[in-house]
């Protein structure tokens, strides 16, 4: 593995740069500055490729830097609802709890469903719906446990309750299938499973919802015709561009586009199959090691690229030991979190397993 790293198993934190992204960014830098037409092409292509990945229309895709920005755009873009509650849960990454709190300034209550234990419980969320929710914010795959939410049970129920569903898909887009039919809003960033530079993310908004949304930032790029730089009257773009701000980080999208093209060529079904096979194998092998308790579900429908485990050991010490062996993982929520992508080799998974066995045998 390049750079003397024994195994890179940390896509859920900060990814390695995909070779296709590195190549494309290098070429763009050599050619810098890009022409206005080339920039417009890159941004258009970003919307088209992301839309293709999730089965949406390019007009339903806004370019946003990260999940925080996606949440802010939704928070300030939603028409005011007579409903007063925004519902999250105790297992969310801070972004998907804190960033909603700006809505408290608009008179909403942001409340959390308390989960018991490390795994998300669909019925607990559904039982908490009161009919007063304007929006439910939820991860698709949880950053600590790697649990993949059963959206087939969640989305129809949330819709039937009259609420919108916002999906934080930062831990699922690019690794497992994510479909525009699974939520009203889907957000992701570029620094994890899309294997690019952070700061060039995406927000999908379902057409029917988009039509009622107000431009949250009223940036010049959110107008009907950003080419009209003499405009004196603000006219919002008819599509999801109305949720955007100023000029996006174009080099980042050059990289993301190159990766999206690769992923679409491979096929997200094939990527998912490979990742689930590797994580399934990792879970089986870890479960056989005495003193290890795998937290991530073994049901392939309930996991993606993350495998988290705890047991009769200090996870920090295990993490430090793995780092000393050149094995890059994270420690989250009292668990060791390994994350595996479609480019991960069997040797990298073997290296992790051997090092875990060594650590526990006190070598
Ligand atoms: C589920 C999830 N959402 C969001 C983020 C980060 O938020 P942002 O894109 O605003 O930096 C992370 C980062 O680890 C995450 O795991």
């Amino acid at each position: 593995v390049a750079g003397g790293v024994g195994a890179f198993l940390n896509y859920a934190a900060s990814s390695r740069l995909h070779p296709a992204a590195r190549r494309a960014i290098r070429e763009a830098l050599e050619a810098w500055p890009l022409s206005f037409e080339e920039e417009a092409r890159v941004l258009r292509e970003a919307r088209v490729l992301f839309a293709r990945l999730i089965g949406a229309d390019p007009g339903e895709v806004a370019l946003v830097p990260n999940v925080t920005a996606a949440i802010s755009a939704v928070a300030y873009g939603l028409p005011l609802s007579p409903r007063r509650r925004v519902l999250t849960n105790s297992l969310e990454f801070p972004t998907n709890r804190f960033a909603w709190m700006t809505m408290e300034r608009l008179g909403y209550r942001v409340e959390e469903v308390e989960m018991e234990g490390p795994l998300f419980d669909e019925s607990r969320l559904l039982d908490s719906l009161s009919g007063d929710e304007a929006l439910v914010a939820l991860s698709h795959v949880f950053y600590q446990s790697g649990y993949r939410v059963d959206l087939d049970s969640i989305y129809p129920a949330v819709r039937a309750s009259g609420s919108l569903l916002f999906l934080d898909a930062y831990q699922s887009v690019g690794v497992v299938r994510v479909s525009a039919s699974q939520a009203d809003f889907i957000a992701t960033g570029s620094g994890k499973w899309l294997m690019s530079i952070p700061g060039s993310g995406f927000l999908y908004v379902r057409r029917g919802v988009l039509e009622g949304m107000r431009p949250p930032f009223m940036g010049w790029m959110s107008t009907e015709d950003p080419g009209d730089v003499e405009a004196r009257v603000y006219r919002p773009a008819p599509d999801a561009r109305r949720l955007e701000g100023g000029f996006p980080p174009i080099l980042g999208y050059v990289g993301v586009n190159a990766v999206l093209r690769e992923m679409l060529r491979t096929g997200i079904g094939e990527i998912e199959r490979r990742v689930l096979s590797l994580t399934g194998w990792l879970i089986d092998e870890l479960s056989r090691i005495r003193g290890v308790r795998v937290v991530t579900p073994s049901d392939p429908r309930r996991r993606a690229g993350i495998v988290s485990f705890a047991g009769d050991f200090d996870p920090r010490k295990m993490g430090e030991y793995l780092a000393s062996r050149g094995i890059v993982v994270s420690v989250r929520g009292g668990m060791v979190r390994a994350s595996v992508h479609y480019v991960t080799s069997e040797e990298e998974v073997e290296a992790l397993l051997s090092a875990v066995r060594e650590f526990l045998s006190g070598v």
Side-chain angles (χ1 to χ4, degrees):
V1 181
V5 176
F8 183 87
L9 300 168
N10 210 22
Y11 296 93
S14 293
S15 178
R16 301 166 90 177
L17 192 57
H18 194 294
R22 191 182 303 277
R23 223 170 13 246
I25 291 170
R26 268 206 187 119
E27 280 168 18
L29 265 182
E30 289 298 319
W32 199 261
L34 303 182
S35 66
F36 176 75
E37 290 74 25
E38 178 63 7
E39 287 176 342
R41 193 194 62 71
V42 168
L43 301 180
R44 201 164 44 243
E45 189 186 19
R47 288 179 237 279
V48 167
L49 293 171
F50 184 74
R52 201 173 295 157
L53 187 70
I54 65 164
D57 183 273
E60 295 173 306
V61 177
L63 304 181
V64 296
N66 46 43
V67 178
T68 304
I71 292 173
S72 307
V74 173
Y76 283 99
L78 272 181
L80 277 182
S81 164
R83 292 170 167 237
R84 297 284 83 195
R85 196 179 190 214
V86 173
L87 196 60
T88 69
N89 68 82
S90 57
L91 297 176
E92 294 296 334
F93 187 83
T95 295
N96 205 23
R97 294 185 291 119
F98 296 164
W100 294 109
M101 291 177 186
T102 61
M103 289 182 84
E104 289 174 350
R105 299 173 196 155
L106 304 171
Y108 293 90
R109 301 186 314 279
V110 180
E111 293 176 350
E112 273 181 32
V113 182
E114 198 63 35
M115 292 289 156
E116 239 175 66
L119 297 182
F120 177 77
D121 178 349
E122 281 81 0
S123 61
R124 225 176 154 90
L125 176 72
L126 295 180
D127 289 346
S128 306
L129 294 176
S130 66
D132 195 30
E133 289 75 25
L135 183 138
V136 173
L138 180 66
S139 275
H140 188 192
V141 170
F142 280 88
Y143 78 110
Q144 290 182 334
S145 66
Y147 183 92
R148 174 158 45 141
V149 171
D150 178 8
L151 291 172
D152 292 343
S153 80
I154 291 278
Y155 186 40
V158 169
R159 266 190 105 155
S161 80
S163 172
L164 296 166
L165 180 67
F166 176 97
L167 200 63
D168 176 347
Y170 207 166
Q171 299 290 2
S172 62
V173 166
V175 61
V176 291
R177 247 177 295 244
V178 178
S179 162
S181 64
Q182 292 174 306
D184 298 292
F185 305 96
I186 300 176
T188 195
S190 49
K192 300 181 192 287
W193 303 93
L194 292 181
M195 298 188 68
S196 307
I197 290 170
S200 304
F202 297 93
L203 169 64
Y204 155 79
V205 184
R206 185 164 64 78
R207 177 77 65 190
V209 177
L210 188 58
E211 279 156 9
M213 288 188 76
R214 307 168 300 184
F217 308 119
M218 300 183 79
W220 69 286
M221 291 290 286
S222 71
T223 58
E224 197 170 40
D225 178 14
D228 179 9
V229 289
E230 315 279 318
R232 302 295 301 268
V233 178
Y234 180 87
R235 289 198 185 82
D239 57 15
R241 280 200 307 103
R242 77 171 68 177
L243 302 179
E244 297 182 4
F247 202 81
I250 196 92
L251 268 184
Y253 285 107
V254 165
V256 177
N257 287 356
V259 180
L260 285 174
R261 264 185 256 115
E262 284 284 320
M263 288 183 161
L264 288 164
R265 203 171 298 137
T266 304
I268 192 67
E270 178 57 26
I271 291 172
E272 173 170 337
R273 195 197 56 70
R274 161 100 185 143
V275 170
L276 292 181
S277 148
L278 282 173
T279 50
W281 173 46
L282 178 56
I283 288 173
D284 285 349
E285 291 297 320
L286 284 170
S287 304
R288 289 207 182 95
I289 302 174
R290 194 197 299 257
V292 172
R293 185 172 44 81
V294 178
V295 174
T296 307
S298 56
D299 180 349
R301 294 169 305 174
R302 297 284 76 81
R303 61 178 152 83
I306 292 174
V307 174
S308 295
F309 56 99
D312 309 331
F313 57 86
D314 177 344
R316 300 228 153 260
K317 292 228 165 70
M318 164 95 72
E320 283 162 18
Y321 180 77
L322 295 175
S324 77
R325 308 303 306 256
I327 296 166
V328 186
V329 296
S330 295
V331 176
R332 292 283 186 279
M335 297 174 279
V336 175
R337 181 186 71 181
S339 44
V340 170
H341 212 333
Y342 77 122
V343 294
T344 301
S345 67
E346 277 78 2
E347 288 74 20
E348 288 178 289
V349 175
E350 287 281 11
L352 170 67
L353 288 166
S354 304
V356 168
R357 290 190 195 102
E358 276 165 25
F359 175 78
L360 290 172
S361 65
V363 173

